[in-house]
Each structure stands twice: as structure tokens, then as C-alpha cells.
Amino acid sequence: VRPQLAKEKIEGCHICTLVTPGEPQVILGKDKAFTFDYVFDMDSQQDSLYGNCTEKLIEGCFEGYNATIFAYGQTGSGKTYTMGTGFDVNITDEELGIIPRAVSHLFRGIEERRQAATEQGRPVPEFKINAQFLELYNEEVLDLFDSTREVKKSNIKIHEDANGGIYTVGVTTRTVSSEAE
């Protein structure tokens, strides 16, 4: 549950969610309860969310596993806040969302592994990182790396392979070699 926006506070908006203490459950209004793997209330810190839900996935990348972080919810529910894609200039380190934390974690882990190999006289491992940045909005998949997306309709397709893996067609893939990229 994201914190209220300044505008919402000024307008006197009421908080309509209640997190069941000790349970991964949210109650909307008076009686609609929803249970999830994790629930974080408004006073939860972004680092706590990252540590509980994402950190192990990024560590798994160093073991050769793919990781996908998927945010789902209605407009205004906090996806941008949680993922950290608002790119607010005035954001504090404590407010950083999942994506900037994951990118930092990934490149810090790469550097640690390269340094450890050098110190131990082992061959320095090579890493190749490809990034795609997608948004599903009103039933359309948007390629956020495609600068022409405002001009043309998206032709991105999402498919499932014979092994149950998901892959995309028509998405911009960028090879990146630094956190800044």
C-alpha cells in the first residue's frame, strides 16, 4: 500500500485499506479481504520490500537464473512508486524502488565477483546484461525503450514456448554495461 500523495492529503482523502497485522492480507473498505504472498503497509520502507521480495531473485541471476519482477494493479495503486520508475529528481535513497535497487545490486554483485576472481588468481568472469523495459497499459504492451512509441501502435507480442517459458517479439533489447546505462 503506497503512502498517500501530498495532493491526496490536501484533498482530505480517506485511507480505505487496512493491513491485517501479522498476515499478508489487505482489507478494502469494510469487508473485502485479499490475501497475497506479501503485504506491505504505507509505513513500510522500500528497502524492506526489496529485501523480502526481490533480493533473492537478483542473487539467483548470479547462479544463472532469469528473474522477472511484475507489478500489477489498478491506476493509482502504487506500481510506479514500488517499482521506482517515477524518476523523481528529488527522491531520497530510502524512497528508491525495486528497479533502481535491483540494477545497483546487479552491478555491485558483478564488480564483487570480478574483484574476488582477480584477488584469487582465477579468470575474471564475463557478464552480459540485456534489458527490456515494458509496460502493459490498457491491454497494450508498450516498449518504454522505443522512442517512437507515441507515433506508432505497438506490435509487441508475448508468447509461451514449449517449456512454458515466456518470451517477447518486437521489443527493444539493450545491452548495458553499467548501472548508469
Side-chain angles (χ1 to χ4, degrees):
V1 180
R2 69 161 169 77
Q4 278 190 306
L5 302 172
K7 179 183 178 208
E8 293 167 337
K9 290 178 183 177
I10 290 168
E11 292 174 354
C13 294
H14 296 280
I15 297 168
C16 62
T17 59
L18 173 68
V19 173
T20 306
E23 296 291 327
Q25 186 178 62
V26 176
I27 299 172
L28 297 181
K30 294 184 181 356
D31 60 354
K32 289 186 173 64
F34 299 90
T35 303
F36 300 93
D37 292 334
Y38 302 96
V39 171
F40 297 89
D41 208 348
M42 288 188 304
D43 60 349
S44 298
Q45 299 299 307
Q46 293 279 49
D47 64 338
S48 173
L49 189 145
Y50 183 82
N52 281 286
C53 300
T54 308
E55 192 167 39
K56 290 178 184 161
L57 294 173
I58 300 303
E59 284 299 317
C61 292
F62 295 114
E63 304 292 323
Y65 295 99
N66 291 322
T68 299
I69 311 299
F70 189 85
Y72 177 81
Q74 70 185 55
T75 300
S77 63
K79 298 175 301 294
T80 299
Y81 175 79
T82 300
M83 295 303 277
T85 58
F87 303 116
D88 190 332
V89 179
N90 300 319
I91 197 165
T92 65
D93 285 349
E94 292 79 32
E95 294 174 305
L96 286 174
I98 287 173
I99 292 174
R101 288 177 190 274
V103 169
S104 178
H105 183 176
L106 191 61
F107 282 99
R108 193 172 54 251
I110 287 170
E111 186 52 38
E112 288 169 1
R113 283 157 179 79
R114 286 179 175 159
Q115 192 170 9
T118 301
E119 289 170 2
Q120 297 167 6
R122 294 183 285 120
V124 177
E126 292 184 31
F127 295 88
K128 182 177 180 183
I129 300 173
N130 292 320
Q132 295 178 339
F133 198 19
L134 306 175
E135 177 181 17
L136 179 60
Y137 187 78
N138 287 339
E139 307 294 321
E140 186 176 2
V141 181
L142 304 175
D143 182 347
L144 299 181
F145 282 159
D146 181 1
S147 59
T148 65
R149 73 179 182 273
E150 302 292 330
V151 181
K152 62 179 175 56
K153 183 156 174 62
S154 170
N155 288 318
I156 297 168
K157 302 293 180 219
I158 300 175
H159 300 283
E160 185 174 357
D161 65 22
N163 298 323
I166 303 296
Y167 67 97
T168 55
V169 176
V171 179
T172 303
T173 300
R174 291 191 181 165
T175 300
V176 294
S177 57
S178 70
E179 183 176 346
E181 285 180 344

